[in-house]
Amino acid sequence: VILNLIFPDANAGADDFACGTEYQLEAIPSFGETLWTTNDPEITIEDPVSPTSSITATTPGIYALFWTEDDGSGCLDSDTLTIEFFNQPTAFIAAVDSVCGPEVELTVSETNGTPNWELSANVALVNPLSDPVIAVAAAEGLEAIIYQTINGPCVAADTAFVEFIDQPVADAGEGGLVCGDQLNLFASVSVGIGVWVLPDELIPFGTTVGPTLTVNASFFGFYDIIWMETNKGFCMDSDT
């Protein structure tokens, strides 16, 4: 009697890597009874008969697993799968928000890998190995600063969005003596919106917003007149 038996065609899937301690297998079964096995004691197979079983490794390394199919009549086929486990990297960069001027201090930390930065052409680091790290922007604007940790093919990343805002430098002009009760004010504008802050005894002619203003004194005496500049409602400077 001649039996024509179909030989199982075991396919354990493509060799792969895992970031961390767990991996889900993806064998492609043909027919027959199936079984995952390994000679490595560091590997635990959750469900050895399932083609998509999860496995766990106690330590990083390269491990071999064997996917076997048995048709029950003596026909067996097996395929070998190699998985390399890497420690899962972590990356952290502290949130910043907005800064006045071109520099920002960045606090970062990482585990299980090599640090790496992704920056736009507008941002540079003074010293990537310093603590904290100082980033400098060539122009104001919102920047995404990405801090990464790389361990082989495994990458962790964290992003800080920083708005760089030009710092105003207020210049109210020179003080001095005035003959009479009227004074013309002339401030030097840097960036942002400027406004004059006056004592109650000085009466403005027109709006106090803007670098030039004429004021009238209700009484003779010494007065502090403040020129205040604000850029984007966040960065301020004043001069008296």
Side-chain angles (χ1 to χ4, degrees):
V1 178
I2 299 175
L3 298 176
N4 292 320
L5 302 176
I6 300 176
F7 201 78
D9 184 14
N11 186 345
D15 294 343
D16 204 356
F17 66 89
C19 300
T21 60
E22 294 185 0
Y23 183 83
Q24 183 169 349
L25 301 169
E26 295 182 352
I28 303 173
S30 57
F31 64 93
E33 295 182 358
T34 59
L35 183 66
W36 284 107
T37 57
T38 182
N39 296 326
D40 298 309
E42 299 88 350
I43 295 295
T44 299
I45 304 173
E46 181 179 345
D47 184 1
V49 300
S50 170
T52 58
S53 173
S54 296
I55 61 173
T56 303
T58 57
T59 58
I62 301 175
Y63 301 103
L65 294 104
F66 310 103
W67 173 248
T68 302
E69 296 184 348
D70 183 352
D71 73 347
S73 61
C75 295
L76 299 173
D77 192 30
S78 183
D79 190 25
T80 302
L81 174 69
T82 299
I83 304 294
E84 183 171 5
F85 285 83
F86 294 84
N87 279 327
Q88 175 64 55
T90 65
F92 170 79
I93 183 169
V96 179
D97 193 12
S98 300
V99 293
C100 299
E103 294 187 0
V104 63
E105 292 186 351
L106 301 171
T107 301
V108 298
S109 62
E110 75 288 326
T111 60
N112 300 329
T114 302
N116 185 60
W117 294 87
E118 284 193 2
L119 307 168
S120 74
N122 188 48
V123 178
L125 302 179
V126 175
N127 180 2
L129 301 179
S130 64
D131 184 20
V133 179
I134 298 176
V136 181
E140 73 172 8
L142 182 63
E143 298 289 343
I145 300 177
I146 302 173
Y147 184 65
Q148 298 177 327
T149 309
I150 301 174
N151 184 18
C154 304
V155 180
D158 195 15
T159 303
F161 293 94
V162 183
E163 185 173 10
F164 292 89
I165 302 173
D166 286 340
Q167 173 62 52
V169 180
D171 183 359
E174 296 294 328
L177 298 176
V178 177
C179 297
D181 59 1
Q182 193 171 91
L183 172 64
N184 293 319
L185 300 172
F186 300 95
S188 297
V189 178
S190 59
V191 294
I193 297 173
V195 61
W196 291 101
V197 181
L198 306 174
D200 294 339
E201 295 83 358
L202 297 184
I203 309 303
F205 291 95
T207 178
T208 56
V209 178
T212 61
L213 179 65
T214 299
V215 298
N216 190 80
S218 302
F219 304 97
F220 293 105
F222 290 96
Y223 297 101
D224 288 332
I225 302 173
I226 301 173
W227 169 247
M228 179 177 293
E229 290 183 342
T230 305
N231 192 15
K232 296 187 177 179
F234 186 80
C235 300
M236 300 181 182
D237 192 33
S238 62
D239 188 31
T240 302

